[in-house]
Amino acid sequence: MSEGARQIEDLIALMARLPGLGPRSARRAVLHLIKKRAAVMIPLAESLAEVAREARECLTCGNIGTDEVCAICSDPKRANGLICVVEDVADLWAMERGRAFGGRYHVLGGTLSALDDIGPEDLRIPRLVERVTQDGVEEVILALNATVDGQTTAHYIAGELAPMARAGQVKITSLAQGVPIGGELDYLDDGTITAALSARKSF
Amino acid sequence: MEWQAEGVLLAARRHGETAAILEIFTAEQGRFVGVLRGGASRKMAAHLQVGTQLQATWRARLSDHMGVFTIEPLQARAAPAMADPMQLAGLNAVCALLSFALPERNAHPALYARSIALLDGLGADHWLDAYVQWEMAVLAELGFGLDLSHCARTGVSQDLAYVSPRTGRAVARDAAGEWADRLLPLPRFLQGVGPADREDHIAGLRLTGHFLAHHLAPSLGDRPLPSARARLVDMLNRQG
């Protein structure tokens, strides 16, 4: 194999590691990049190099940005007294897509997991408690996944914040659980129906 | 090779982009591990929470292969438990401890029946009594049973107040003497006497925790006990 062919094979092997791509689709993507060298490949390479150089975690919330404090944390229009706790940056981006939340975020970086032996010390929970204590936060919204690990983490955080909640310094809330938009009851699992029924509201 | 059985899901790990590796505990097959194709899909996520009761079919070309599961969910246990932190901690602890302690592919029908009864009763009155007694059953099933029938020193069966941390045998209050502070307190509800309170549950979990950590765990390669159990104990301690 020539040196050039080896480099292309290396690129294909790297691309195949990306989520959603296998060896065949990586090969197609690399071929497309080579064919569109000026329009796609070079800008992509430059953009990748720049992001690799600049991307960092926000020191305040754990979001990914290019500054020490992310755009959300430094936005003066956002409510200071409201923190939405999410598991991962992908969840933060999902919340932002909805444009329904105008407060700040806190990214935990995972959830407690018995299976993977992830404990509270592996997450950004102490930093959250510090923020709530120091920043005069009025409400913490636990927007964690409706999974066993997600809800175990939510209960743990609620326990950590309980002394402040009992003292009336902060309110702890969580996202509602129930029927998704466009969901048909016939196709829902019994756990979701149970959660929706117990969280029913006046109509 | 193929079998079909009803079982409880102990763990589900993502495997690649589309599959999951499941640990299922059944009466006939014991703790069994296999691949579920499509197990990483959103459609399956609600069913692949620990504690879910499943109808499972396992297939493999040879018996020592990991094999492939197909499943049909029968009963969700995670969703009803999610609203209650203690109940959720109990569910996590039961599944994590079974996953930790049971050898693969060894049938434990009695322990299976007891585990299902406990999981179905999570959140009911006195479920923590049942939880501590279930941990004693896990120890007994795996060869580390405690002997609480009579005092190891005097042979009497009344006023048993301690357990030897070394032998797992009961010791009467009068027989403990100066050794009392080195023995593990035996809560009365484990002898079938009276209702248990929070202190009894803590004492019971301390007792079973000692034998799980110092007798069972070393026999399994000295891995630490699952953190899910520690969280249940911690939550109980915080309730004071």
Side-chain angles (χ1 to χ4, degrees):
Chain A
M1 186 187 289
S2 70
E3 181 65 14
R6 190 190 59 75
Q7 287 163 347
I8 291 170
E9 287 298 326
D10 286 350
L11 178 60
I12 291 168
L14 282 171
M15 293 283 279
R17 289 193 207 168
L18 296 177
L21 293 186
R24 288 168 69 94
S25 43
R27 197 169 285 278
R28 275 203 303 278
V30 168
L31 197 57
H32 178 80
L33 288 172
I34 292 169
K35 283 179 181 170
K36 305 274 182 185
R37 193 177 308 206
V40 182
M41 193 179 204
I42 292 170
L44 176 66
E46 286 171 357
S47 183
L48 282 174
E50 192 179 350
V51 171
R53 199 171 50 244
E54 300 290 336
R56 64 189 70 185
E57 273 189 7
C58 171
L59 294 177
T60 306
C61 72
N63 185 17
I64 291 175
T66 52
D67 295 314
E68 285 195 341
V69 177
C70 71
I72 293 175
C73 288
S74 55
D75 185 349
K77 290 179 189 161
R78 284 184 170 260
N80 273 331
L82 203 55
I83 288 187
C84 180
V85 180
V86 292
E87 177 185 330
D88 198 47
V89 174
D91 298 332
L92 187 157
W93 290 351
M95 293 287 292
E96 281 298 283
R97 276 201 305 273
R99 295 182 186 178
F101 179 67
R104 315 275 181 191
Y105 289 94
H106 190 86
V107 181
L108 291 175
T111 52
L112 299 176
S113 170
L115 200 59
D116 300 322
D117 208 24
I118 297 173
E121 65 284 356
D122 302 313
L123 305 175
R124 292 166 55 87
I125 295 175
R127 177 71 183 121
L128 172 66
V129 176
E130 196 181 302
R131 285 182 73 187
V132 173
T133 312
Q134 293 174 355
D135 297 353
V137 174
E138 290 158 11
E139 183 176 351
V140 174
I141 303 169
L142 299 171
L144 296 170
N145 294 335
T147 60
V148 167
D149 287 347
Q151 293 308 300
T152 300
T153 311
H155 287 303
Y156 181 84
I157 292 171
E160 291 293 294
L161 298 176
M164 282 175 271
R166 277 196 293 269
Q169 293 165 358
V170 66
K171 187 164 99 177
I172 303 167
T173 58
S174 69
L175 294 187
Q177 290 171 5
V179 184
I181 301 294
E184 295 174 38
L185 292 183
D186 191 23
Y187 289 94
L188 290 183
D189 63 282
D190 51 356
T192 304
I193 291 177
T194 307
L197 199 59
S198 61
R200 66 188 181 279
K201 58 183 182 182
S202 299
F203 191 72
Chain B
M1 307 295 299
E2 179 175 334
W3 56 254
Q4 282 188 14
E6 189 178 320
V8 60
L9 180 69
L10 300 182
R13 293 179 181 84
R14 203 179 166 114
H15 179 61
E17 285 190 30
T18 57
I21 292 179
L22 308 187
E23 270 183 48
I24 297 177
F25 180 35
T26 72
E28 301 89 355
Q29 309 294 336
R31 184 171 72 89
F32 225 90
V33 177
V35 174
L36 177 69
R37 291 185 184 129
S41 71
R42 272 189 239 169
K43 199 177 83 178
M44 290 305 297
H47 304 307
L48 296 185
Q49 301 299 311
V50 295
T52 300
Q53 193 74 11
L54 307 159
Q55 180 68 35
T57 304
W58 177 86
R59 287 188 190 90
R61 197 166 59 80
L62 298 172
S63 63
D64 55 352
H65 285 179
M66 180 183 267
V68 175
F69 278 125
T70 50
I71 59 161
E72 188 180 332
L74 299 175
Q75 180 195 349
R77 291 199 180 89
M82 279 182 189
D84 183 292
M86 278 301 288
Q87 209 175 318
L88 190 59
L91 176 71
N92 267 325
V94 171
C95 293
L97 208 50
L98 285 171
S99 172
F100 168 82
L102 292 181
E104 267 190 66
R105 302 187 179 196
N106 272 351
H108 295 277
L111 183 62
Y112 174 79
R114 199 152 180 169
S115 303
I116 294 301
L118 174 64
L119 288 169
D120 285 339
L122 283 178
D125 291 345
H126 310 300
W127 75 267
L128 270 168
D129 298 20
Y131 178 84
V132 178
Q133 284 158 345
W134 173 83
E135 282 197 347
M136 290 188 50
V138 171
L139 285 166
E141 186 82 13
L142 298 173
F144 300 94
L146 310 187
D147 180 0
L148 307 181
S149 58
H150 58 272
C151 174
R153 281 192 70 195
T154 61
V156 300
S157 54
Q158 274 83 44
D159 202 24
L160 301 174
Y162 302 100
V163 175
S164 161
R166 196 172 61 82
T167 64
R169 297 180 67 190
V171 179
R173 191 178 309 278
D174 292 342
E178 64 188 45
W179 298 94
D181 57 351
R182 297 187 200 177
L183 301 173
L184 296 163
L186 173 62
R188 285 163 60 84
F189 81 96
L190 288 180
Q191 304 162 68
V193 182
D197 59 17
R198 182 178 149 272
E199 298 305 321
D200 290 328
H201 293 140
I202 291 171
L205 288 170
R206 187 177 159 224
L207 176 66
T208 51
H210 171 85
F211 289 96
L212 288 168
H214 295 99
H215 293 248
L216 176 64
S219 73
L220 302 171
D222 220 3
R223 291 175 289 152
L225 287 183
S227 53
R229 184 189 183 276
R231 273 199 286 279
L232 174 67
V233 176
D234 185 46
M235 206 171 274
L236 191 61
N237 279 317
R238 283 188 194 206
Q239 281 186 342

